[in-house]
């Protein structure tokens, strides 16, 4: 079965390809000649994940997967959440985002946070969402150079290293995104 993953991010395609058994071909939007940047106009990850999936499904009429992720910090009432990529203004400016996060948490001892991913799967007769969460805390100074985004500030529960100090395999073994993908993979493998 052919499935379009509504992203042009190669890492995400590889990640899910490894989890889903044979019999499924997961392909990026570019494979179908779609190159547009779908506006993420929702106010929740659930909405944005659904917007991306519905937009692409309406165009292709084949099964589609889309995901949306973010960091939720308890002391900031769940912020930056759905706005994680543009917390400091400019989309994807990770240095500025991390600086702003540290600034907002200055003097705050309660630093619990979680990464969350919501995946939407849509076909002609199904629409279903899966969530993946990893709990942890925000440290007070960046550590490590691997990964991306808030990784140098996030230490997952039960560990003493940040995501940016872990190998890709180790991070993928516990990340929010792989947890959500695993649920989707289980669902799809059961449909066969
Ligand atoms: P696409 O929508 O184009 O796939 P994106 O950068 O918006 O790319 P996400 O929706 O997955 O990707 O994530 C939104 C932001 O949340 C991202 O820019 C990071 O700031 C943060 N984030 C998500 N997953 C992360 C992770 O595993 N490690 C660190 N930061 C992460």
């Amino acid at each position: 079965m052919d499935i379009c993953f509504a992203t042009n991010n190669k890492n995400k395609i590889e990640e899910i390809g490894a989890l889903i058994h044979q019999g499924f071909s997961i392909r990026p939007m570019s494979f179908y000649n779609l190159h547009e940047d779908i506006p993420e106009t929702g106010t929740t990850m659930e909405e944005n994940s659904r917007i991306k999936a519905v937009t692409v499904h309406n165009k292709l009429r084949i099964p589609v997967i889309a995901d949306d992720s973010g960091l939720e910090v308890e002391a900031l009432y769940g912020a930056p959440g759905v706005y994680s990529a543009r917390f400091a203004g400019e989309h994807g400016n990770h240095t500025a985002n991390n600086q702003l996060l540290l600034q907002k948490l200055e003097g705050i001892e309660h630093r619990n946070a979680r990464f969350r991913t919501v995946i939407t799967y849509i076909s002609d007769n199904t629409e279903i969402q899966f969530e993946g969460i990893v709990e942890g805390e925000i440290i007070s100074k960046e550590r490590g150079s691997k990964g991306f985004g808030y990784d140098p500030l996030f230490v997952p529960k039960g560990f003493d290293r940040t995501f940016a100090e872990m190998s890709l395999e180790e991070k993928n073994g516990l990340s929010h995104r792989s947890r959500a993908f695993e649920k989707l993979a289980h669902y799809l493998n059961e449909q066969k």
Side-chain angles (χ1 to χ4, degrees), residues 12 40 52 68-69 84-85 115 148 150-151 171 176-177:
K12 291 184 179 178
E40 298 183 18
K52 289 189 243 184
D68 200 46
S69 315
S84 292
F115 276 120
F148 72 102
Y150 300 95
D151 282 347
K171 180 186 166 186
H176 47 311
R177 203 169 296 103

Side-chain angles (χ1 to χ4, degrees), residues 30-45:
S30 54
F31 180 85
Y32 300 97
N33 254 325
L34 291 182
H35 299 281
E36 68 192 281
D37 197 16
I38 302 165
E40 298 183 18
T41 51
T43 55
T44 62
M45 287 175 215

Side-chain angles (χ1 to χ4, degrees), residues 85-133:
R86 51 198 145 117
F87 191 33
E90 186 197 346
H91 190 103
N93 187 338
H94 300 312
T95 310
N97 288 341
N98 284 353
Q99 260 172 18
L100 181 61
L101 180 60
L102 286 181
Q103 205 178 309
K104 287 200 183 276
L105 287 178
E106 227 172 81
I108 296 179
E109 266 179 42
H110 181 82
R111 303 176 76 98
N112 288 0
R114 61 186 197 169
F115 276 120
R116 194 160 80 88
T117 294
V118 177
I119 294 181
T120 304
Y121 171 78
I122 292 190
S123 68
D124 279 343
N125 47 21
T126 320
E127 180 177 324
I128 186 164
Q129 291 194 314
F130 301 95
E131 184 186 56
I133 288 175

Side-chain angles (χ1 to χ4, degrees), residues 9-25:
N9 182 330
K10 269 179 130 187
N11 295 327
K12 291 184 179 178
I13 301 269
E14 274 168 28
E15 202 174 299
I16 196 167
L19 285 169
I20 293 180
H21 296 172
Q22 298 204 332
F24 294 100
S25 302

Side-chain angles (χ1 to χ4, degrees), residues 71-74 98 101-102 105 110-115 133-144 146 148-166 170-171 174-176 179:
L71 178 74
E72 297 176 337
V73 181
E74 269 182 28
N98 284 353
L101 180 60
L102 286 181
L105 287 178
H110 181 82
R111 303 176 76 98
N112 288 0
R114 61 186 197 169
F115 276 120
I133 288 175
V134 55
E135 303 278 352
E137 60 176 28
I138 304 299
I139 55 171
S140 54
K141 202 171 159 218
E142 291 192 21
R143 274 193 350 231
K146 302 191 188 87
F148 72 102
Y150 300 95
D151 282 347
L153 290 176
F154 184 83
V155 174
K157 215 175 188 164
F159 291 79
D160 53 14
R161 283 166 300 137
T162 66
F163 265 172
E165 293 175 305
M166 294 182 179
E170 198 175 1
K171 180 186 166 186
L174 44 139
S175 85
H176 47 311
R179 284 176 180 170

